[in-house]
């Protein structure tokens, strides 16, 4: 019975890989080996998205090119062996890069742009102007549930962003940040969080 379940699990995994390849392989800028995508909520201009080998995005992801036709041909780059849980959203006008082996919890939002609020100009809901600056999340980071990462931020390698944090400025490597706006609340030493 155990062998039969193992065979069914392997067949199910192979089917999901094939389904991902058939549905997204020709649409994305790159789809790495054994990358697996769950159900898509929104994909705007998927030709600007790069997914690395063994990357996994769970259901209800949204990857959005905010400025189609402008900037680099790849705007959202997700590295190898990344694990991204459900309800993830990433918006990019100039670029968002997520390093290898990064773990992202449910309902995380990353954006490289802010809308312009100009009292003397167009109403905010009609204003198409954006203020943008690239976001980089280096390798081996852990981003907690409901975290928000805003434009111009670089999160150093081996860092942890706590649940519900709003990251508005750079994070040094091996740091633990939390709060609104996020501040350093600890360090990662010898592979374990320290306060």
């Amino acid at each position: 019975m155990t062998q039969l379940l193992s065979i069914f699990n392997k067949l199910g995994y192979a089917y999901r890989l094939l389904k991902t390849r058939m549905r997204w392989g020709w649409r994305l800028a790159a789809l790495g080996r054994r990358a697996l995508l769950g159900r898509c909520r929104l994909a705007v201009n998927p030709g600007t998205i790069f997914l690395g080998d063994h990357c996994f995005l769970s259901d209800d992801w949204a990857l959005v090119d905010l400025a189609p036709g402008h900037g680099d041909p790849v705007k959202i780059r997700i590295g190898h062996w990344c694990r991204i849980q459900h309800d993830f959203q990433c918006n990019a006008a100039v670029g968002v890069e997520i390093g290898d082996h990064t773990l992202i919890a449910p309902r995380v939002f990353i954006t490289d742009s802010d809308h312009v609020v100009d009292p003397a100009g167009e109403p905010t809901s009609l204003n198409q102007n954006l203020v943008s600056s690239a976001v980089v999340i280096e390798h081996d980071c852990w981003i907690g549930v409901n975290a928000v990462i805003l434009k111009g931020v670089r999160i150093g390698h081996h860092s942890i962003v706590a649940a519900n944090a709003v990251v508005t400025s750079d994070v040094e490597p091996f740091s633990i940040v939390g709060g609104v706006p996020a501040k350093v609340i600890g360090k990662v030493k010898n592979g374990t969080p320290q306060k």
Side-chain angles (χ1 to χ4, degrees), residues 130-149:
L130 298 171
V131 177
S132 303
S133 182
V135 172
V136 176
I137 300 171
E138 295 179 3
H139 65 279
D140 288 299
C141 291
W142 176 17
I143 312 299
V145 66
N146 294 325
V148 175
I149 299 170

Side-chain angles (χ1 to χ4, degrees), residues 2-56:
T2 308
Q3 282 183 324
L4 190 58
L5 286 174
S6 176
I7 290 170
F8 280 126
N9 284 339
K10 287 178 183 176
L11 287 173
Y13 177 68
Y15 170 74
R16 291 188 344 234
L17 284 174
L18 180 62
K19 189 168 128 181
T20 296
R21 181 72 47 197
M22 298 291 288
R23 184 173 291 166
W24 294 103
W26 59 278
R27 293 181 185 176
L28 303 178
L31 179 63
R33 291 180 306 109
R34 296 190 178 221
L36 189 58
L37 297 173
R39 182 178 56 245
C40 171
R41 180 167 33 100
L42 181 63
V44 176
N45 198 14
T48 61
I49 299 166
F50 173 99
L51 296 178
D53 297 341
H54 301 276
C55 183
F56 170 74

Side-chain angles (χ1 to χ4, degrees), residues 162-173:
N164 299 307
V166 178
V167 184
T168 60
S169 60
D170 290 353
V171 175
E172 292 294 318

Side-chain angles (χ1 to χ4, degrees), residues 47-117:
T48 61
I49 299 166
F50 173 99
L51 296 178
D53 297 341
H54 301 276
C55 183
F56 170 74
L57 269 76
S58 191
D59 288 338
D60 298 322
W61 53 270
L63 301 176
V64 178
D65 177 359
L66 294 174
H70 296 82
D72 290 337
V74 174
K75 292 186 182 176
I76 299 173
R77 182 178 298 275
I78 300 174
H80 307 302
W81 292 97
C82 290
R83 297 288 177 263
I84 300 175
Q85 298 303 312
H86 60 88
D87 294 317
F88 172 70
Q89 180 158 350
C90 180
N91 296 348
V94 292
V96 172
E97 182 175 343
I98 299 172
D100 299 343
H101 297 281
T102 294
L103 177 63
I104 298 180
R107 295 180 301 281
V108 167
F109 177 69
I110 301 171
T111 186
D112 72 353
S113 300
D114 285 337
H115 287 281
V116 173
V117 177

Side-chain angles (χ1 to χ4, degrees), residues 158-160 171-177 184-195:
H158 295 90
S159 290
I160 299 171
V171 175
E172 292 294 318
F174 300 100
S175 296
I176 303 169
V177 297
V184 175
I185 58 174
K187 288 287 188 184
V188 176
K189 293 181 184 171
N190 299 325
T192 58
Q194 308 284 319
K195 290 194 177 195

